[in-house]
Amino acid sequence: MDILSSLGGGFGVALQPFNLVLALIGCFLGTVIGALPGIGPVNGIAILIPLAFSMKLAPVEAMILLTSVYYGTMFGGRISSILLNIPGDAPAVMTCLDGYPMALKGKAADALAISAISSFVGGTLATIGLTICAPLLAKAAIYFGPPEYFALFVLAVVAVGGVGGANPAKTLIAGMIGLVLSTVGLDPASGQPRFTFDSYELYDGIDFVVAAIGLFAISEFLMFLADKEGGQAKRLPVGQIRSSFRDLIFPAATLRASALGFVIGVLPGAGATMASFLGYTLEKKISDKDGTFGKGDPRGVAAPEAADNAAAGGNLVPMLTLGIPGSGATAIMLGMLVTLNIQPGPLLFERQPDLIWGLVAALYVSNFILLVLNIPLVGIFARLLTIPTRYLMPVVVVISYVGVYSISNSAFDLLLMTGFGILGFGMRKMGFSMIPLVLGMLLGGPMEQNLRRAMQASGGDWAILVQSPLSVGLHLATIAMVAAAIFYELRRRRAARPAVE
Amino acid sequence: MSDRIVGLGLMILAAWYGWSAGHYEADFSDPVGPAIFPQVLAVLIAVLGLWLVFRPDPEPRWDGGLVLVVQAASIVLMLAYALLLVPVGFVLATTVLAGVLAAMLGARPLPAVVSGAAVAVGCYVLFTHGLELALPTGTLFAGG
């Protein structure tokens, strides 16, 4: 009952006309960003953050805008998967497998409708899951003191990127570099400038938004120069829906994939891409009796789309309740909350119920808007896909520069952003994950402050860090995840060696 | 080889970072102080850098030749844009930036220039009138 009345209050916030308009704009932009290959959820959200600032949005309004963009990208990615056989963003890769064959058979409209409906179901179920789980997790707030927060942030930075399958040493390095970057600026406890090279521009630290836009959007452009797919992709026509409504919903496949996707989303380190992959694989295992998967089976469209939208909702659970994002896109949103002086975490539910519940209610609203936008208006989005990327990517670069300029009005930050773009490019080329770096930058400050607060309380006795069962448990989880990552890496190397030599 | 170079670079960075952290002094009430957290990081980074030197991944595929030149040129262009945006003004600087970047991605000269100008003017109108952002109008030619 408690949840229902809070949610009711949330709808009071979400249904205010201005917030509805923001959700509508966010859903539209999100679908476009998701649909256009080359702009994924992470860099799409990153380049929109400055706009949220320059529009002087209140925290709840900014979050409604960004989360509807986030949900929108999950809807949009499927459009180019189905019509172009090019995923609009990483989670939509699996949708190509059966979506494009359906379009080849002239059933593009059906595939788009099926994926929109299963996206809606997945997203809505995940939002229900979020509504139920998040307050429960937030109750853990009372058990969190400085030592536990320290342990939590260590877990987030060290372990979250670690299960992605990349070289764990490189993942750790990326996290450490992020932490190093977070120490630049005035030390809040002692007031001393650290690592600022006596440059007053660095006294406030490195702006997270500047770093994120450079790392994701500018590096994406540099990667793009190498690929040179600047032309116009061949798009299949959308056509008319040919099946009856009954044949557009696949309840079993959608529900299974939604549940799986939500759980994967809640787990740290695994995002929508893994969810859609596993959702597709699971459905193929269960339903592919006649070998129709990969040849245009509608269940192969429904399952990954339900899973990735459910994971997107699941990702918000640890981000909002514990302040540890599980994916790049949620990390960027967390960064924006921190920039707005809101520290997500267990206390958020007590201190800012309007923000949290308004946001949760807005998620239901955006899901509904997205369903409405995506079935009748899908032709408009499909038409946007014919814009050649050679004209589109420069726009992304320009918006990145305008965005950063609008925050700081300083050429220094523009140069810094370009530098982060080069760093991000090098990291991507060499197989470093950028998400731990972003997390390190975000969480480094609170990590160090909580460490110092804990040590002040204990008078310099390090044992305080492992005195509560919760902090011990969190440290053990960190160790277990690092150990697992190292184990997989060693096994991978052993398996790879005969092939190399 | 790239991994080994990065590993070595990280060790140098860690040494400098840990060494400069040693200059920061703590208050009485702060047993950890501003130095220890960076110093712990420095040690960890040095160890991880050493690991990269001895156990590098297979060499990534670096782009050679023309691609590398174009990438370097685009970086120079973006740095120049960052420095010249305020003096030159948004519309002119952006026309050049967006136009040249489009050409780098394979657009022919005329469409590149037209698209650059369209992006610049479109963004200018959208941001200054739609979002009320003050974009630089340029001081170089306006005599301001």
Side-chain angles (χ1 to χ4, degrees), chain A residues 123-167:
Chain A
T124 303
L125 287 177
T127 310
I128 294 173
L130 167 74
T131 314
I132 297 167
C133 293
L136 294 179
L137 256 179
K139 289 223 170 73
I142 48 168
Y143 302 109
F144 276 80
E148 289 76 19
Y149 275 117
F150 174 70
L152 182 69
F153 294 140
V154 172
L155 173 71
V157 174
V158 171
V160 161
V163 290
N167 182 345

Side-chain angles (χ1 to χ4, degrees), chain A residues 183 192 194 228 452 456, chain B residues 17 24-25 29-30 34 104:
Chain A
T183 59
Q192 298 175 61
R194 292 192 291 179
K228 270 283 179 54
R452 286 160 79 170
Q456 265 172 351
Chain B
Y17 183 74
Y24 306 129
E25 284 162 21
S29 60
D30 187 356
M104 283 174 172

Side-chain angles (χ1 to χ4, degrees), chain A residues 54-55 167 169-170 183 187 192 194-195 222 225-226 228 391 401-402 425 429-430 452 455-456 493, chain B residues 3 17 24-25 29-32 34 51 55 57 60-61 63 71 74 78 90 104 107 111 127 131 133:
Chain A
S54 53
M55 286 166 78
N167 182 345
K170 289 186 171 176
T183 59
D187 169 33
Q192 298 175 61
R194 292 192 291 179
F195 313 107
L222 293 173
L225 279 176
K228 270 283 179 54
Y391 300 122
Y401 278 98
V402 173
F425 174 73
K429 274 280 177 190
M430 297 186 64
R452 286 160 79 170
M455 295 293 284
Q456 265 172 351
R493 283 188 179 224
Chain B
D3 273 11
Y17 183 74
Y24 306 129
E25 284 162 21
S29 60
D30 187 356
V32 175
W51 171 267
R55 302 293 300 273
D57 280 345
R61 198 178 54 78
D63 305 298
Q71 281 169 337
S74 76
M78 288 191 275
F90 177 82
M104 283 174 172
F127 287 112
L131 296 167
L133 277 181

Side-chain angles (χ1 to χ4, degrees), chain A residues 7 10-11 14-15 19-20 23 27 60 63-72 75 119-120 123-131 134 262 309 312-317 319-320 333 355-371:
Chain A
L7 189 61
F11 272 104
L15 292 176
N19 290 341
L20 275 178
C27 290
V60 65
M63 282 308 285
I64 287 175
L65 179 70
L66 289 190
T67 47
S68 43
V69 170
Y70 176 50
Y71 269 29
F75 265 75
S119 293
F120 171 75
T124 303
L125 287 177
T127 310
I128 294 173
L130 167 74
T131 314
F262 179 71
N309 283 272
N315 265 183
L316 291 172
V317 175
M319 185 268 229
L320 290 173
M333 286 193 272
L355 172 83
I356 283 288
W357 291 106
L359 176 61
V360 172
L363 293 176
Y364 288 99
V365 175
S366 345
N367 247 312
F368 183 73
I369 295 176
L370 281 165
L371 181 68

Side-chain angles (χ1 to χ4, degrees), chain A residues 195-252:
Chain A
F195 313 107
T196 53
F197 305 95
D198 294 324
S199 150
Y200 70 92
E201 272 119 342
L202 286 172
Y203 271 35
D204 284 339
I206 296 168
D207 192 324
F208 173 78
V209 179
V210 173
I213 296 178
L215 282 172
F216 291 102
I218 301 297
S219 78
E220 180 75 35
F221 178 80
L222 293 173
M223 296 292 282
F224 211 82
L225 279 176
D227 296 344
K228 270 283 179 54
E229 286 172 28
Q232 195 169 348
K234 193 135 181 62
R235 180 175 69 88
L236 297 172
V238 175
Q240 293 292 319
I241 296 178
R242 292 205 256 150
S243 316
S244 65
F245 179 68
R246 251 171 179 289
D247 295 328
L248 294 177
I249 38 176
F250 295 88

